[in-house]
Every structure is written in structure tokens, then in C-alpha cells.
Amino acid sequence: VQLQAYGGGLLQAGGSLRLSCLASGRTLSSYGMGWLRQAPGKEREFVAAINWSGSNTVYADSVKGRFTISRDNAKNTVYLQMSSLKPEDTAVYFCAARSGGLPTATVFDKWGQGTQVTVSS
């Protein structure tokens, strides 16, 4: 499966943005999916994950209550709705896939090209 994230941009603190991750080559329905991010000079960080059916979601403490992960298996797409954005959310955001489990920052089977999110104060 190939993953492509898009929807990033430049916005002010407090704003909202929705990222999308489109999969091609294979259906997403057999994968747990997640979003990771990496800021300049920092390690890759887990953001959120969702199981294959969408019935289970997990969030990093830093985004809990502000970000929502969802998926549409019919469209082979995973979303990350971000609100109340902060400057510390600035990073390149990647989507990741894991067969048989939820992706973490270091455990995943596939990840794709990221999209830049920049939040100004």
C-alpha cells in the first residue's frame, strides 16, 4: 500500500485544519492507521491511531481533545481533524499503516510522504 498525506498549510494559532491520507495499491480496511509527526530537530512523534473498523482510537496526550482521527474505508482514506492548533503542533505530518495492530511512532509497516503544518503565534 502507498500512502500520501495532504491538506497541510500555514495558519494562525487557534485555527483548524483537516489532513487526509489517501491509500493506493491495496485496501486500507485490513490496516490499523495512524498519524505521526516530526518537527525540525525532534524525533518522530505519535499523534493518533485508529483500528481497522474505526471503533477504537488512541491519541497522544498533547493532542487529546483537540484532534480527531477517523477513516472511510470505502474511500481508502484516513483523516485527522485538528482544531485549537498551537505553534507546538508545527511539524510534518505523516500517515502510517500497520497490519494487525495500531501504528506507533516506531512500529508500523508503511508510511508515506508527509504534509507540512505550520502554526504561527
Side-chain angles (χ1 to χ4, degrees):
V1 61
Q2 290 78 45
L3 305 173
Q4 175 68 58
Y6 59 96
L10 171 64
L11 68 167
Q12 291 187 331
S16 298
L17 199 63
R18 188 177 81 159
L19 305 183
S20 301
C21 173
L22 178 63
S24 60
R26 189 171 179 177
T27 179
L28 272 184
S29 60
S30 59
Y31 290 92
M33 297 297 298
W35 287 93
L36 314 176
R37 68 186 182 186
Q38 189 164 21
K42 295 188 177 181
E43 294 186 350
R44 187 171 55 234
E45 175 186 27
F46 169 82
V47 176
I50 187 168
N51 71 334
W52 70 274
S53 67
S55 62
N56 182 34
T57 57
V58 180
Y59 296 92
D61 287 343
S62 59
V63 306
K64 201 171 293 183
R66 299 188 298 121
F67 291 11
T68 301
I69 187 171
S70 61
R71 65 190 296 161
D72 186 338
N73 289 338
K75 295 182 178 180
N76 250 17
T77 303
V78 179
Y79 305 98
L80 185 69
Q81 179 67 48
M82 306 184 294
S83 59
S84 302
L85 281 161
K86 305 175 181 179
E88 50 263 44
D89 293 319
T90 295
V92 177
Y93 284 71
F94 304 87
C95 55
R98 183 182 178 191
S99 179
L102 295 180
T104 70
T106 56
V107 180
F108 47 85
D109 297 317
K110 297 284 186 180
W111 70 323
Q113 189 170 359
T115 186
Q116 176 72 46
V117 174
T118 303
V119 184
S120 62
S121 57

